Amino acid sequence: FGLDPDALVSCMHGGPHLLAPTGSDLSKHGALGTVLAGYHSDLNLLTLHGKSRFPGLFIWTADGTKQAVRVPDGCLLVQAGQQMEYLTGGRVKAGRHEVVVSEATLAAVQEARAAGRSTWRVSSTLFAHVASDTVLQPLGDFATPAALKQFPPMQAGEQVRRELEAITLRATSPVEPDEIDAPGAEQVGKAPLVQVKVQCEV
């Protein structure tokens, strides 16, 4: 993209990164079509999906095609989040995904039961964030007049707060942008993120 090699890494220093293992008991929530995590994109910079113990993760490609995810052993699925979309002025879109009990899930559950293994669907997801006090705005050649109008400069912590309020996972409050720098304010962007995953997948 013509950016400095450390353009994205430098934005992440001191960010409220979150490793969020989540689980769903498929013996209780294993009916075909059960939604374990509804269709959404993530509000952070990059989301790293580890291989789950059971299938069920679906993504949408750029042309709108829904596709089941199969992560090879030893590999990760990396998806762009809303902060990446912001930094690239919309060039890189936030990845849309969901987790739903599918036929492949049911087949894997039957195999696990036959082998005496647990039927808990466990996944470990890492949410990499831009530091809360870093200004989000299109970078480099992405900073066109049109992009700057659609993605105006905003502190990352403020973007997180607004997104959590928009999806009603954080009570609205008159937090001012400069309060993001206050001692303890980092928790504004941290604690609610745990609730996002718990409410979606458990």
Side-chain angles (χ1 to χ4, degrees):
F1 291 144
L3 300 175
D4 291 337
D6 66 343
L8 296 180
V9 174
S10 61
C11 290
M12 299 167 62
H13 288 310
H17 312 302
L18 177 68
L19 177 61
T22 56
S24 301
D25 186 353
L26 295 177
S27 68
K28 296 180 179 179
H29 309 288
L32 182 64
T34 299
V35 178
L36 305 177
Y39 175 80
H40 68 285
S41 63
D42 296 328
L43 57 78
N44 49 292
L45 180 68
L46 293 170
T47 299
L48 285 72
H49 300 271
K51 183 175 182 177
S52 175
R53 298 172 61 181
F54 292 90
L57 176 62
F58 292 86
I59 61 171
W60 275 257
T61 60
D63 64 1
T65 301
K66 181 179 179 179
Q67 181 174 316
V69 172
R70 294 177 178 82
V71 180
D73 291 339
C75 297
L76 297 170
L77 168 66
V78 180
Q79 280 194 302
Q82 295 170 22
Q83 292 178 344
M84 178 67 81
E85 186 167 341
Y86 216 101
L87 294 177
T88 61
R91 173 70 179 278
V92 177
K93 302 295 186 183
R96 300 282 178 171
H97 52 286
E98 69 177 4
V99 181
V100 178
V101 175
S102 64
E103 294 285 1
T105 311
L106 297 181
V109 168
Q110 291 300 321
E111 182 180 337
R113 284 176 177 160
R117 299 194 306 269
S118 171
T119 56
W120 272 83
R121 183 185 188 279
V122 178
S123 59
S124 295
T125 309
L126 175 65
F127 299 91
H129 279 258
V130 172
S132 298
D133 59 355
T134 295
V135 175
L136 279 177
Q137 60 185 339
L139 301 175
D141 293 340
F142 297 118
T144 63
L148 289 170
K149 182 178 181 180
Q150 184 178 358
F151 301 96
M154 178 190 307
Q155 282 191 327
E158 173 67 5
Q159 174 258 345
V160 168
R161 182 181 72 85
R162 292 186 183 186
E163 289 297 327
L164 292 176
E165 289 179 354
I167 58 177
T168 65
L169 286 178
R170 181 183 185 278
T172 57
S173 62
V175 177
E176 297 299 326
D178 58 358
E179 291 182 24
I180 299 298
D181 295 323
E186 187 179 56
Q187 294 302 317
V188 170
K190 275 187 174 180
L193 291 179
V194 177
Q195 296 176 19
V196 171
K197 297 308 292 180
V198 169
Q199 292 188 17
C200 285
E201 293 198 13
V202 173

